[in-house]
Amino acid sequence: AQSCWAAWAADTQISADGGYVAYDSDGYSLTAPGTPYESALDQNGGFDVFLYNRTADTNAIVSRYVAGSGGVTAFGDISSPYRSMSADGRYVAFTSSSLSLVSGFVAPTDGGGNATHVFRWDRTTGLVILIDRAAGTTATPGNGAASRPWISADGQYVAYASSASNIVGESGGTFLFDAQLNTTTVVAGSASPAAISADGRYVFFLSSAGNTIAGLTNGGTSALFRWDRENPAATILLSHSAGSTTNVANAAVDERISISADGRYALFMSSGTNFVAGQSDANGGNDVFRYDTETRTALLVSHAAGSATTTGDVDSFVDGRDQLSDDGRFVAYQSRSTNLMAGVSDNSFSYDAYLFDAQAGTNTLLSHPASSATTAVNSGQISLSADGRYVGFSSGASVVVAGQVGLG
């Protein structure tokens, strides 16, 4: 096994095939000397992006110097929260303020030189390309900061946000880059991307603009939309009030979104009280919803046992990607509610892990002692496998596994 001296690792993401893990770390001995991605020359003193190969038990540096520039890791900050990986782990899209990731990088003089930009790394070739590029160039970034990259399953498409005005004639917004054609398309102005479908056809974004779609009412609140690459004029509103597909619901949608592989379903949280017809909501906090773009209806996930339209008695929470199965049937999430499943005894006063089955319409408590499936214990971060079979979560409790030895 490899060793690392005084290193922190954060914001992990596993590939769809389970073979690779992308993460950020300030460690400088994560890769072996003499390898193509040696980190012995780590010179930036900060966090870098790494890719771990589970089969080979090796790490590769993603945010590395362009070949021949005299080092391995690039100078400049790596923006940890916004990183996205292709399904097979070949491509990683990430953000950085480094000026040494791309050959011939031309720092603009009108505000984009020291800003954060979006890049895509190729595990097979080791090549890093600039994504938020100025029109007509390959190594000149836009004249504003870029962030929030989302990559398609095959790595061809990358959606991102930028404040630049020289990318495709739109002054800031959400853009979609096609790495095969080397073209950029405007998704929406004054918007921030939230997810991309596996095939890169659909881009989900958040916007509070009042003119995002025709006939939009109650604008000014951060709302969730879906854009169609094959039919750009067919953008739809997802976070609408029940019965009105153009009226924004009465509360904003949080930016942490999960979607199904085909882009049909979207999972989000909001404190809105009118997403579902007959919604009864007295908890005053966030609840979890799953939206179906075919039926144009929202489903209350965090609902009280026995009532599909009554929210849990306390707030519920989703953390972003990897909490909705690929087919949209299963949802893994956290809640402080005590009435999501019949017979639950909950004295933890903290978030507990639940699995929702949209087909059965039921919630199942996951964070419980091995001896009792209806007694809640605390949970932390949670993620769901693509097929919805496996759920990973953290917990400070020492009774989750039979015979468990540890603190709690």
Side-chain angles (χ1 to χ4, degrees):
Q2 300 171 53
S3 61
C4 176
W5 176 257
W8 288 90
D11 297 299
T12 60
Q13 181 189 1
I14 191 167
S15 61
D17 63 5
Y20 296 89
V21 178
Y23 65 97
D24 305 330
S25 178
D26 61 353
Y28 53 85
S29 59
L30 291 166
T31 59
T35 64
Y37 303 111
E38 172 186 359
S39 57
L41 298 178
D42 190 339
Q43 301 175 27
N44 65 9
F47 277 81
D48 307 298
V49 181
F50 291 85
L51 185 73
Y52 175 68
N53 183 326
R54 293 181 59 235
T55 302
D57 189 27
T58 57
N59 285 288
I61 299 177
V62 174
S63 53
R64 67 191 308 268
Y65 271 107
V66 64
S69 60
V72 174
T73 61
F75 287 108
D77 295 327
I78 302 301
S79 182
S80 302
Y82 303 122
R83 180 188 358 87
S84 185
M85 179 169 46
S86 62
D88 61 358
R90 174 175 175 176
Y91 299 102
V92 179
F94 64 97
T95 56
S96 175
S97 60
S98 174
L99 306 180
S100 53
L101 291 167
V102 175
S103 180
F105 188 88
V106 180
T109 59
D110 52 357
N114 296 317
T116 298
H117 297 288
V118 175
F119 302 87
R120 192 199 70 171
W121 175 78
D122 184 339
R123 171 171 50 83
T124 301
T125 65
L127 181 68
V128 176
I129 62 172
L130 175 67
I131 299 299
D132 63 309
R133 54 184 68 172
T137 73
T138 60
T140 301
N143 56 9
S147 64
R148 301 185 63 82
W150 291 89
I151 197 166
S152 60
D154 64 358
Q156 178 177 346
Y157 299 97
V158 179
Y160 65 94
S162 176
S163 60
S165 60
N166 63 342
I167 294 178
V168 208
E170 179 74 33
S171 186
T174 292
F175 301 88
L176 182 69
F177 179 75
D178 184 333
Q180 184 172 305
L181 299 178
N182 285 319
T183 57
T184 302
T185 303
V186 178
V187 173
S190 302
S192 178
I196 189 171
S197 61
D199 62 0
R201 174 177 175 175
Y202 298 111
V203 176
F204 294 74
F205 65 91
L206 295 170
S207 177
S208 57
N211 59 349
T212 306
I213 61 172
L216 187 70
T217 55
N218 200 29
T221 299
S222 182
L224 179 62
F225 298 86
R226 192 190 72 173
W227 175 84
D228 185 347
R229 175 170 49 84
E230 296 183 3
N231 188 4
T235 297
I236 61 172
L237 169 67
L238 280 66
S239 57
H240 60 77
S241 58
S244 177
T245 58
T246 58
N247 183 66
V248 177
N250 58 9
V253 170
D254 187 90
E255 65 180 12
R256 288 163 285 195
I257 308 294
S258 285
I259 64 169
S260 59
D262 61 1
R264 173 177 175 174
Y265 300 100
L267 182 73
F268 63 90
M269 66 177 172
S270 175
S271 61
T273 60
N274 61 346
F275 289 109
V276 176
Q279 183 174 337
S280 175
D281 189 344
N283 64 28
N286 282 324
D287 303 297
V288 178
F289 301 87
R290 192 205 66 169
Y291 187 84
D292 185 339
T293 59
E294 288 191 6
T295 65
R296 303 301 305 275
T297 57
L299 180 69
L300 176 61
V301 171
S302 53
H303 66 75
S307 176
T309 58
T310 301
T311 63
D313 53 4
V314 195
D315 67 302
S316 297
F317 180 81
V318 288
D319 200 22
R321 67 186 100 195
D322 302 330
Q323 290 186 251
L324 181 67
S325 61
D326 275 357
D327 62 1
R329 174 178 174 178
F330 297 102
V331 177
Y333 70 104
Q334 296 169 275
S335 182
R336 293 192 299 165
S337 294
T338 63
N339 62 343
L340 301 179
M341 188 176 97
V344 167
S345 173
D346 189 352
N347 296 313
S348 67
F349 304 107
S350 62
Y351 286 102
D352 309 310
Y354 281 89
L355 181 70
F356 176 74
D357 182 343
Q359 184 172 302
T362 56
N363 282 290
T364 301
L365 176 67
L366 303 178
S367 54
H368 60 78
S371 60
S372 174
T374 57
T375 301
V377 297
N378 68 79
S379 71
Q381 291 181 318
I382 188 169
S383 62
L384 181 67
S385 63
D387 62 1
R389 177 176 180 180
Y390 300 103
V391 182
F393 62 91
S394 62
S395 177
S398 60
V399 294
V400 177
V401 177
Q404 180 178 343
V405 177
L407 300 177

